[in-house]
Amino acid sequence: MKPKAIAKITVDTLMTLALLFLMGYQFWSDAAHEWAGAGMFLLFILHHILNANWYQSLLSSVEDIYETKGFDNFICTIDNTYAEENVLTEDGKLNYRILKPVLFEMPTYEYLKTGDVIGKCMSFRKQE
């Protein structure tokens, strides 16, 4: 296992233990609780430093906004994302047949699975 992965697991484990310790406030002194809270804050900062690449996967641009009663619908373009190599094509693009992204549909509050091909676009032949 890579050293960075070991560091991530260690920090996350320490954060979990610190959180459990902090929830038992009534069992410890105020000083112990405050020191554990300060340690948790430092672990939080370290966690975000170690996982900084995750923020790069959140980049997108809003192309259009459709306002409807009670909701704003954003049409976005993904500018950058993180994906493992096994879901990429040979030219480095996402292979949606393997990745099968999930969509959230707002009016019914449902998650929809994508990735299955239902037809080819722009393949209609002209009839003479």
PDB file of all heavy atoms in Angstrom, residues 57-91:
ATOM      1  N   SER A  57     -12.083  17.193  -8.796  1.00  0.00           N
ATOM      2  CA  SER A  57     -13.110  16.407  -9.476  1.00  0.00           C
ATOM      3  C   SER A  57     -14.480  17.083  -9.424  1.00  0.00           C
ATOM      4  O   SER A  57     -15.435  16.562  -9.989  1.00  0.00           O
ATOM      5  CB  SER A  57     -13.201  15.012  -8.878  1.00  0.00           C
ATOM      6  OG  SER A  57     -13.745  15.072  -7.579  1.00  0.00           O
ATOM      7  N   LEU A  58     -14.576  18.224  -8.768  1.00  0.00           N
ATOM      8  CA  LEU A  58     -15.864  18.898  -8.624  1.00  0.00           C
ATOM      9  C   LEU A  58     -16.073  20.032  -9.620  1.00  0.00           C
ATOM     10  O   LEU A  58     -17.063  20.733  -9.544  1.00  0.00           O
ATOM     11  CB  LEU A  58     -15.990  19.474  -7.211  1.00  0.00           C
ATOM     12  CG  LEU A  58     -15.935  18.474  -6.074  1.00  0.00           C
ATOM     13  CD1 LEU A  58     -15.995  19.206  -4.747  1.00  0.00           C
ATOM     14  CD2 LEU A  58     -17.067  17.493  -6.162  1.00  0.00           C
ATOM     15  N   LEU A  59     -15.133  20.221 -10.538  1.00  0.00           N
ATOM     16  CA  LEU A  59     -15.191  21.368 -11.427  1.00  0.00           C
ATOM     17  C   LEU A  59     -16.203  21.164 -12.548  1.00  0.00           C
ATOM     18  O   LEU A  59     -16.145  20.193 -13.287  1.00  0.00           O
ATOM     19  CB  LEU A  59     -13.811  21.643 -12.026  1.00  0.00           C
ATOM     20  CG  LEU A  59     -12.713  21.976 -11.014  1.00  0.00           C
ATOM     21  CD1 LEU A  59     -11.392  22.162 -11.727  1.00  0.00           C
ATOM     22  CD2 LEU A  59     -13.067  23.196 -10.211  1.00  0.00           C
ATOM     23  N   SER A  60     -17.134  22.094 -12.656  1.00  0.00           N
ATOM     24  CA  SER A  60     -18.103  22.088 -13.749  1.00  0.00           C
ATOM     25  C   SER A  60     -18.511  23.525 -14.045  1.00  0.00           C
ATOM     26  O   SER A  60     -18.305  24.426 -13.232  1.00  0.00           O
ATOM     27  CB  SER A  60     -19.330  21.246 -13.403  1.00  0.00           C
ATOM     28  OG  SER A  60     -20.009  21.817 -12.313  1.00  0.00           O
ATOM     29  N   SER A  61     -19.064  23.731 -15.229  1.00  0.00           N
ATOM     30  CA  SER A  61     -19.525  25.059 -15.643  1.00  0.00           C
ATOM     31  C   SER A  61     -21.030  25.014 -15.849  1.00  0.00           C
ATOM     32  O   SER A  61     -21.551  24.069 -16.438  1.00  0.00           O
ATOM     33  CB  SER A  61     -18.854  25.471 -16.953  1.00  0.00           C
ATOM     34  OG  SER A  61     -17.464  25.525 -16.810  1.00  0.00           O
ATOM     35  N   VAL A  62     -21.719  26.042 -15.381  1.00  0.00           N
ATOM     36  CA  VAL A  62     -23.167  26.138 -15.584  1.00  0.00           C
ATOM     37  C   VAL A  62     -23.398  26.694 -16.981  1.00  0.00           C
ATOM     38  O   VAL A  62     -22.959  27.791 -17.309  1.00  0.00           O
ATOM     39  CB  VAL A  62     -23.818  27.030 -14.509  1.00  0.00           C
ATOM     40  CG1 VAL A  62     -25.303  27.195 -14.795  1.00  0.00           C
ATOM     41  CG2 VAL A  62     -23.596  26.454 -13.121  1.00  0.00           C
ATOM     42  N   GLU A  63     -24.078  25.914 -17.821  1.00  0.00           N
ATOM     43  CA  GLU A  63     -24.358  26.324 -19.195  1.00  0.00           C
ATOM     44  C   GLU A  63     -25.678  27.094 -19.290  1.00  0.00           C
ATOM     45  O   GLU A  63     -25.793  28.032 -20.057  1.00  0.00           O
ATOM     46  CB  GLU A  63     -24.415  25.101 -20.119  1.00  0.00           C
ATOM     47  CG  GLU A  63     -23.115  24.338 -20.193  1.00  0.00           C
ATOM     48  CD  GLU A  63     -22.000  25.120 -20.851  1.00  0.00           C
ATOM     49  OE1 GLU A  63     -22.286  25.952 -21.740  1.00  0.00           O
ATOM     50  OE2 GLU A  63     -20.842  24.915 -20.467  1.00  0.00           O
ATOM     51  N   ASP A  64     -26.666  26.662 -18.522  1.00  0.00           N
ATOM     52  CA  ASP A  64     -27.983  27.289 -18.587  1.00  0.00           C
ATOM     53  C   ASP A  64     -28.737  26.998 -17.296  1.00  0.00           C
ATOM     54  O   ASP A  64     -28.440  26.027 -16.602  1.00  0.00           O
ATOM     55  CB  ASP A  64     -28.772  26.744 -19.784  1.00  0.00           C
ATOM     56  CG  ASP A  64     -29.854  27.703 -20.262  1.00  0.00           C
ATOM     57  OD1 ASP A  64     -30.099  28.727 -19.594  1.00  0.00           O
ATOM     58  OD2 ASP A  64     -30.453  27.430 -21.311  1.00  0.00           O
ATOM     59  N   ILE A  65     -29.695  27.851 -16.972  1.00  0.00           N
ATOM     60  CA  ILE A  65     -30.525  27.660 -15.787  1.00  0.00           C
ATOM     61  C   ILE A  65     -31.982  27.743 -16.215  1.00  0.00           C
ATOM     62  O   ILE A  65     -32.392  28.693 -16.888  1.00  0.00           O
ATOM     63  CB  ILE A  65     -30.240  28.742 -14.713  1.00  0.00           C
ATOM     64  CG1 ILE A  65     -28.776  28.712 -14.294  1.00  0.00           C
ATOM     65  CG2 ILE A  65     -31.156  28.557 -13.511  1.00  0.00           C
ATOM     66  CD1 ILE A  65     -28.381  29.851 -13.378  1.00  0.00           C
ATOM     67  N   TYR A  66     -32.760  26.731 -15.866  1.00  0.00           N
ATOM     68  CA  TYR A  66     -34.185  26.724 -16.130  1.00  0.00           C
ATOM     69  C   TYR A  66     -34.900  26.882 -14.793  1.00  0.00           C
ATOM     70  O   TYR A  66     -34.791  26.040 -13.931  1.00  0.00           O
ATOM     71  CB  TYR A  66     -34.616  25.412 -16.801  1.00  0.00           C
ATOM     72  CG  TYR A  66     -34.018  25.227 -18.166  1.00  0.00           C
ATOM     73  CD1 TYR A  66     -32.907  24.422 -18.354  1.00  0.00           C
ATOM     74  CD2 TYR A  66     -34.571  25.868 -19.271  1.00  0.00           C
ATOM     75  CE1 TYR A  66     -32.356  24.257 -19.609  1.00  0.00           C
ATOM     76  CE2 TYR A  66     -34.024  25.711 -20.524  1.00  0.00           C
ATOM     77  CZ  TYR A  66     -32.924  24.900 -20.692  1.00  0.00           C
ATOM     78  OH  TYR A  66     -32.377  24.741 -21.937  1.00  0.00           O
ATOM     79  N   GLU A  67     -35.607  27.986 -14.648  1.00  0.00           N
ATOM     80  CA  GLU A  67     -36.327  28.232 -13.407  1.00  0.00           C
ATOM     81  C   GLU A  67     -37.748  27.692 -13.529  1.00  0.00           C
ATOM     82  O   GLU A  67     -38.455  27.982 -14.478  1.00  0.00           O
ATOM     83  CB  GLU A  67     -36.343  29.726 -13.110  1.00  0.00           C
ATOM     84  CG  GLU A  67     -34.948  30.291 -12.856  1.00  0.00           C
ATOM     85  CD  GLU A  67     -34.963  31.776 -12.541  1.00  0.00           C
ATOM     86  OE1 GLU A  67     -36.019  32.304 -12.146  1.00  0.00           O
ATOM     87  OE2 GLU A  67     -33.913  32.394 -12.701  1.00  0.00           O
ATOM     88  N   THR A  68     -38.123  26.875 -12.572  1.00  0.00           N
ATOM     89  CA  THR A  68     -39.483  26.352 -12.502  1.00  0.00           C
ATOM     90  C   THR A  68     -40.014  26.647 -11.113  1.00  0.00           C
ATOM     91  O   THR A  68     -39.265  27.050 -10.226  1.00  0.00           O
ATOM     92  CB  THR A  68     -39.517  24.838 -12.771  1.00  0.00           C
ATOM     93  OG1 THR A  68     -38.688  24.183 -11.805  1.00  0.00           O
ATOM     94  CG2 THR A  68     -39.029  24.508 -14.170  1.00  0.00           C
ATOM     95  N   LYS A  69     -41.296  26.452 -10.918  1.00  0.00           N
ATOM     96  CA  LYS A  69     -41.902  26.747  -9.632  1.00  0.00           C
ATOM     97  C   LYS A  69     -41.277  25.870  -8.545  1.00  0.00           C
ATOM     98  O   LYS A  69     -41.389  24.655  -8.566  1.00  0.00           O
ATOM     99  CB  LYS A  69     -43.405  26.497  -9.700  1.00  0.00           C
ATOM    100  CG  LYS A  69     -44.134  26.914  -8.443  1.00  0.00           C
ATOM    101  CD  LYS A  69     -45.621  26.706  -8.587  1.00  0.00           C
ATOM    102  CE  LYS A  69     -46.325  27.116  -7.304  1.00  0.00           C
ATOM    103  NZ  LYS A  69     -47.766  26.916  -7.394  1.00  0.00           N
ATOM    104  N   GLY A  70     -40.592  26.493  -7.623  1.00  0.00           N
ATOM    105  CA  GLY A  70     -40.000  25.784  -6.499  1.00  0.00           C
ATOM    106  C   GLY A  70     -38.611  25.235  -6.735  1.00  0.00           C
ATOM    107  O   GLY A  70     -37.960  24.788  -5.803  1.00  0.00           O
ATOM    108  N   PHE A  71     -38.128  25.240  -7.987  1.00  0.00           N
ATOM    109  CA  PHE A  71     -36.815  24.667  -8.275  1.00  0.00           C
ATOM    110  C   PHE A  71     -36.074  25.488  -9.319  1.00  0.00           C
ATOM    111  O   PHE A  71     -36.683  26.088 -10.203  1.00  0.00           O
ATOM    112  CB  PHE A  71     -36.938  23.233  -8.814  1.00  0.00           C
ATOM    113  CG  PHE A  71     -37.512  22.267  -7.831  1.00  0.00           C
ATOM    114  CD1 PHE A  71     -38.827  21.850  -7.936  1.00  0.00           C
ATOM    115  CD2 PHE A  71     -36.738  21.763  -6.801  1.00  0.00           C
ATOM    116  CE1 PHE A  71     -39.363  20.959  -7.029  1.00  0.00           C
ATOM    117  CE2 PHE A  71     -37.268  20.871  -5.890  1.00  0.00           C
ATOM    118  CZ  PHE A  71     -38.575  20.468  -6.001  1.00  0.00           C
ATOM    119  N   ASP A  72     -34.760  25.480  -9.215  1.00  0.00           N
ATOM    120  CA  ASP A  72     -33.890  25.985 -10.267  1.00  0.00           C
ATOM    121  C   ASP A  72     -33.159  24.774 -10.829  1.00  0.00           C
ATOM    122  O   ASP A  72     -32.567  23.991 -10.078  1.00  0.00           O
ATOM    123  CB  ASP A  72     -32.875  26.995  -9.734  1.00  0.00           C
ATOM    124  CG  ASP A  72     -33.526  28.309  -9.341  1.00  0.00           C
ATOM    125  OD1 ASP A  72     -34.603  28.622  -9.877  1.00  0.00           O
ATOM    126  OD2 ASP A  72     -32.947  29.019  -8.504  1.00  0.00           O
ATOM    127  N   ASN A  73     -33.203  24.582 -12.126  1.00  0.00           N
ATOM    128  CA  ASN A  73     -32.554  23.451 -12.779  1.00  0.00           C
ATOM    129  C   ASN A  73     -31.310  23.952 -13.500  1.00  0.00           C
ATOM    130  O   ASN A  73     -31.390  24.832 -14.347  1.00  0.00           O
ATOM    131  CB  ASN A  73     -33.505  22.785 -13.771  1.00  0.00           C
ATOM    132  CG  ASN A  73     -34.737  22.256 -13.071  1.00  0.00           C
ATOM    133  OD1 ASN A  73     -34.637  21.352 -12.271  1.00  0.00           O
ATOM    134  ND2 ASN A  73     -35.892  22.844 -13.353  1.00  0.00           N
ATOM    135  N   PHE A  74     -30.175  23.386 -13.171  1.00  0.00           N
ATOM    136  CA  PHE A  74     -28.906  23.797 -13.748  1.00  0.00           C
ATOM    137  C   PHE A  74     -28.449  22.773 -14.777  1.00  0.00           C
ATOM    138  O   PHE A  74     -28.369  21.585 -14.478  1.00  0.00           O
ATOM    139  CB  PHE A  74     -27.838  23.936 -12.653  1.00  0.00           C
ATOM    140  CG  PHE A  74     -28.166  24.992 -11.649  1.00  0.00           C
ATOM    141  CD1 PHE A  74     -28.856  24.669 -10.491  1.00  0.00           C
ATOM    142  CD2 PHE A  74     -27.801  26.301 -11.847  1.00  0.00           C
ATOM    143  CE1 PHE A  74     -29.176  25.629  -9.557  1.00  0.00           C
ATOM    144  CE2 PHE A  74     -28.112  27.280 -10.920  1.00  0.00           C
ATOM    145  CZ  PHE A  74     -28.800  26.948  -9.768  1.00  0.00           C
ATOM    146  N   ILE A  75     -28.142  23.243 -15.974  1.00  0.00           N
ATOM    147  CA  ILE A  75     -27.553  22.407 -17.012  1.00  0.00           C
ATOM    148  C   ILE A  75     -26.057  22.691 -16.974  1.00  0.00           C
ATOM    149  O   ILE A  75     -25.627  23.818 -17.213  1.00  0.00           O
ATOM    150  CB  ILE A  75     -28.130  22.733 -18.405  1.00  0.00           C
ATOM    151  CG1 ILE A  75     -29.659  22.668 -18.382  1.00  0.00           C
ATOM    152  CG2 ILE A  75     -27.525  21.816 -19.454  1.00  0.00           C
ATOM    153  CD1 ILE A  75     -30.213  21.318 -17.986  1.00  0.00           C
ATOM    154  N   CYS A  76     -25.270  21.666 -16.638  1.00  0.00           N
ATOM    155  CA  CYS A  76     -23.831  21.859 -16.413  1.00  0.00           C
ATOM    156  C   CYS A  76     -23.000  21.037 -17.393  1.00  0.00           C
ATOM    157  O   CYS A  76     -23.438  20.005 -17.889  1.00  0.00           O
ATOM    158  CB  CYS A  76     -23.452  21.448 -14.988  1.00  0.00           C
ATOM    159  SG  CYS A  76     -24.293  22.402 -13.725  1.00  0.00           S
ATOM    160  N   THR A  77     -21.802  21.530 -17.629  1.00  0.00           N
ATOM    161  CA  THR A  77     -20.790  20.797 -18.378  1.00  0.00           C
ATOM    162  C   THR A  77     -19.705  20.409 -17.396  1.00  0.00           C
ATOM    163  O   THR A  77     -19.248  21.245 -16.614  1.00  0.00           O
ATOM    164  CB  THR A  77     -20.177  21.680 -19.480  1.00  0.00           C
ATOM    165  OG1 THR A  77     -21.215  22.107 -20.350  1.00  0.00           O
ATOM    166  CG2 THR A  77     -19.131  20.933 -20.271  1.00  0.00           C
ATOM    167  N   ILE A  78     -19.300  19.147 -17.408  1.00  0.00           N
ATOM    168  CA  ILE A  78     -18.236  18.696 -16.511  1.00  0.00           C
ATOM    169  C   ILE A  78     -16.900  19.139 -17.105  1.00  0.00           C
ATOM    170  O   ILE A  78     -16.540  18.741 -18.214  1.00  0.00           O
ATOM    171  CB  ILE A  78     -18.276  17.164 -16.332  1.00  0.00           C
ATOM    172  CG1 ILE A  78     -19.603  16.755 -15.707  1.00  0.00           C
ATOM    173  CG2 ILE A  78     -17.095  16.692 -15.500  1.00  0.00           C
ATOM    174  CD1 ILE A  78     -19.829  15.265 -15.675  1.00  0.00           C
ATOM    175  N   ASP A  79     -16.177  19.977 -16.378  1.00  0.00           N
ATOM    176  CA  ASP A  79     -14.879  20.465 -16.837  1.00  0.00           C
ATOM    177  C   ASP A  79     -13.753  19.516 -16.467  1.00  0.00           C
ATOM    178  O   ASP A  79     -12.782  19.374 -17.194  1.00  0.00           O
ATOM    179  CB  ASP A  79     -14.579  21.845 -16.243  1.00  0.00           C
ATOM    180  CG  ASP A  79     -15.584  22.889 -16.684  1.00  0.00           C
ATOM    181  OD1 ASP A  79     -16.108  22.775 -17.805  1.00  0.00           O
ATOM    182  OD2 ASP A  79     -15.852  23.813 -15.904  1.00  0.00           O
ATOM    183  N   ASN A  80     -13.878  18.884 -15.324  1.00  0.00           N
ATOM    184  CA  ASN A  80     -12.818  18.006 -14.839  1.00  0.00           C
ATOM    185  C   ASN A  80     -13.453  16.996 -13.894  1.00  0.00           C
ATOM    186  O   ASN A  80     -14.357  17.331 -13.146  1.00  0.00           O
ATOM    187  CB  ASN A  80     -11.759  18.827 -14.089  1.00  0.00           C
ATOM    188  CG  ASN A  80     -10.494  18.055 -13.843  1.00  0.00           C
ATOM    189  OD1 ASN A  80     -10.320  16.956 -14.339  1.00  0.00           O
ATOM    190  ND2 ASN A  80      -9.600  18.627 -13.061  1.00  0.00           N
ATOM    191  N   THR A  81     -12.987  15.773 -13.957  1.00  0.00           N
ATOM    192  CA  THR A  81     -13.502  14.756 -13.048  1.00  0.00           C
ATOM    193  C   THR A  81     -12.406  13.752 -12.746  1.00  0.00           C
ATOM    194  O   THR A  81     -11.416  13.665 -13.462  1.00  0.00           O
ATOM    195  CB  THR A  81     -14.744  14.045 -13.623  1.00  0.00           C
ATOM    196  OG1 THR A  81     -15.321  13.238 -12.612  1.00  0.00           O
ATOM    197  CG2 THR A  81     -14.404  13.209 -14.823  1.00  0.00           C
ATOM    198  N   TYR A  82     -12.586  13.021 -11.674  1.00  0.00           N
ATOM    199  CA  TYR A  82     -11.652  11.966 -11.311  1.00  0.00           C
ATOM    200  C   TYR A  82     -12.311  10.642 -11.653  1.00  0.00           C
ATOM    201  O   TYR A  82     -13.457  10.395 -11.302  1.00  0.00           O
ATOM    202  CB  TYR A  82     -11.324  12.010  -9.820  1.00  0.00           C
ATOM    203  CG  TYR A  82     -10.516  10.821  -9.372  1.00  0.00           C
ATOM    204  CD1 TYR A  82      -9.150  10.777  -9.587  1.00  0.00           C
ATOM    205  CD2 TYR A  82     -11.124   9.733  -8.774  1.00  0.00           C
ATOM    206  CE1 TYR A  82      -8.406   9.678  -9.207  1.00  0.00           C
ATOM    207  CE2 TYR A  82     -10.397   8.631  -8.386  1.00  0.00           C
ATOM    208  CZ  TYR A  82      -9.039   8.611  -8.603  1.00  0.00           C
ATOM    209  OH  TYR A  82      -8.303   7.515  -8.232  1.00  0.00           O
ATOM    210  N   ALA A  83     -11.578   9.801 -12.358  1.00  0.00           N
ATOM    211  CA  ALA A  83     -12.092   8.474 -12.689  1.00  0.00           C
ATOM    212  C   ALA A  83     -10.931   7.496 -12.717  1.00  0.00           C
ATOM    213  O   ALA A  83      -9.824   7.847 -13.124  1.00  0.00           O
ATOM    214  CB  ALA A  83     -12.793   8.498 -14.042  1.00  0.00           C
ATOM    215  N   GLU A  84     -11.190   6.294 -12.277  1.00  0.00           N
ATOM    216  CA  GLU A  84     -10.159   5.271 -12.331  1.00  0.00           C
ATOM    217  C   GLU A  84      -9.958   4.837 -13.780  1.00  0.00           C
ATOM    218  O   GLU A  84     -10.866   4.936 -14.608  1.00  0.00           O
ATOM    219  CB  GLU A  84     -10.551   4.098 -11.437  1.00  0.00           C
ATOM    220  CG  GLU A  84     -10.586   4.502  -9.986  1.00  0.00           C
ATOM    221  CD  GLU A  84     -10.656   3.311  -9.051  1.00  0.00           C
ATOM    222  OE1 GLU A  84     -10.482   2.169  -9.510  1.00  0.00           O
ATOM    223  OE2 GLU A  84     -10.884   3.548  -7.861  1.00  0.00           O
ATOM    224  N   GLU A  85      -8.768   4.348 -14.065  1.00  0.00           N
ATOM    225  CA  GLU A  85      -8.406   4.017 -15.438  1.00  0.00           C
ATOM    226  C   GLU A  85      -9.286   2.940 -16.055  1.00  0.00           C
ATOM    227  O   GLU A  85      -9.473   2.911 -17.265  1.00  0.00           O
ATOM    228  CB  GLU A  85      -6.935   3.603 -15.506  1.00  0.00           C
ATOM    229  CG  GLU A  85      -5.997   4.764 -15.254  1.00  0.00           C
ATOM    230  CD  GLU A  85      -4.532   4.391 -15.434  1.00  0.00           C
ATOM    231  OE1 GLU A  85      -4.253   3.355 -16.062  1.00  0.00           O
ATOM    232  OE2 GLU A  85      -3.688   5.151 -14.954  1.00  0.00           O
ATOM    233  N   ASN A  86      -9.866   2.064 -15.241  1.00  0.00           N
ATOM    234  CA  ASN A  86     -10.682   0.978 -15.798  1.00  0.00           C
ATOM    235  C   ASN A  86     -12.012   1.462 -16.376  1.00  0.00           C
ATOM    236  O   ASN A  86     -12.703   0.702 -17.031  1.00  0.00           O
ATOM    237  CB  ASN A  86     -10.932  -0.113 -14.751  1.00  0.00           C
ATOM    238  CG  ASN A  86     -11.749   0.383 -13.585  1.00  0.00           C
ATOM    239  OD1 ASN A  86     -11.675   1.543 -13.219  1.00  0.00           O
ATOM    240  ND2 ASN A  86     -12.515  -0.496 -12.991  1.00  0.00           N
ATOM    241  N   VAL A  87     -12.402   2.738 -16.157  1.00  0.00           N
ATOM    242  CA  VAL A  87     -13.639   3.259 -16.737  1.00  0.00           C
ATOM    243  C   VAL A  87     -13.356   4.239 -17.878  1.00  0.00           C
ATOM    244  O   VAL A  87     -14.244   4.940 -18.319  1.00  0.00           O
ATOM    245  CB  VAL A  87     -14.535   3.942 -15.670  1.00  0.00           C
ATOM    246  CG1 VAL A  87     -14.977   2.945 -14.629  1.00  0.00           C
ATOM    247  CG2 VAL A  87     -13.849   5.130 -15.044  1.00  0.00           C
ATOM    248  N   LEU A  88     -12.104   4.259 -18.367  1.00  0.00           N
ATOM    249  CA  LEU A  88     -11.727   5.148 -19.457  1.00  0.00           C
ATOM    250  C   LEU A  88     -11.565   4.368 -20.750  1.00  0.00           C
ATOM    251  O   LEU A  88     -11.187   3.198 -20.755  1.00  0.00           O
ATOM    252  CB  LEU A  88     -10.413   5.868 -19.138  1.00  0.00           C
ATOM    253  CG  LEU A  88     -10.404   6.756 -17.901  1.00  0.00           C
ATOM    254  CD1 LEU A  88      -9.023   7.335 -17.686  1.00  0.00           C
ATOM    255  CD2 LEU A  88     -11.435   7.858 -18.007  1.00  0.00           C
ATOM    256  N   THR A  89     -11.822   5.052 -21.869  1.00  0.00           N
ATOM    257  CA  THR A  89     -11.570   4.462 -23.180  1.00  0.00           C
ATOM    258  C   THR A  89     -10.081   4.586 -23.485  1.00  0.00           C
ATOM    259  O   THR A  89      -9.322   5.186 -22.721  1.00  0.00           O
ATOM    260  CB  THR A  89     -12.386   5.190 -24.270  1.00  0.00           C
ATOM    261  OG1 THR A  89     -11.992   6.560 -24.304  1.00  0.00           O
ATOM    262  CG2 THR A  89     -13.879   5.076 -24.006  1.00  0.00           C
ATOM    263  N   GLU A  90      -9.666   4.043 -24.632  1.00  0.00           N
ATOM    264  CA  GLU A  90      -8.255   4.110 -25.008  1.00  0.00           C
ATOM    265  C   GLU A  90      -7.766   5.537 -25.187  1.00  0.00           C
ATOM    266  O   GLU A  90      -6.591   5.829 -24.965  1.00  0.00           O
ATOM    267  CB  GLU A  90      -8.010   3.308 -26.286  1.00  0.00           C
ATOM    268  CG  GLU A  90      -8.138   1.811 -26.089  1.00  0.00           C
ATOM    269  CD  GLU A  90      -7.901   1.042 -27.360  1.00  0.00           C
ATOM    270  OE1 GLU A  90      -7.477   1.639 -28.362  1.00  0.00           O
ATOM    271  OE2 GLU A  90      -8.136  -0.175 -27.354  1.00  0.00           O
ATOM    272  N   ASP A  91      -8.662   6.454 -25.587  1.00  0.00           N
ATOM    273  CA  ASP A  91      -8.264   7.857 -25.773  1.00  0.00           C
ATOM    274  C   ASP A  91      -8.501   8.717 -24.526  1.00  0.00           C
ATOM    275  O   ASP A  91      -8.436   9.936 -24.577  1.00  0.00           O
ATOM    276  CB  ASP A  91      -8.941   8.466 -26.997  1.00  0.00           C
ATOM    277  CG  ASP A  91     -10.458   8.409 -26.932  1.00  0.00           C
ATOM    278  OD1 ASP A  91     -10.992   7.744 -26.031  1.00  0.00           O
ATOM    279  OD2 ASP A  91     -11.104   9.036 -27.787  1.00  0.00           O
TER     280      ASP A  91
END
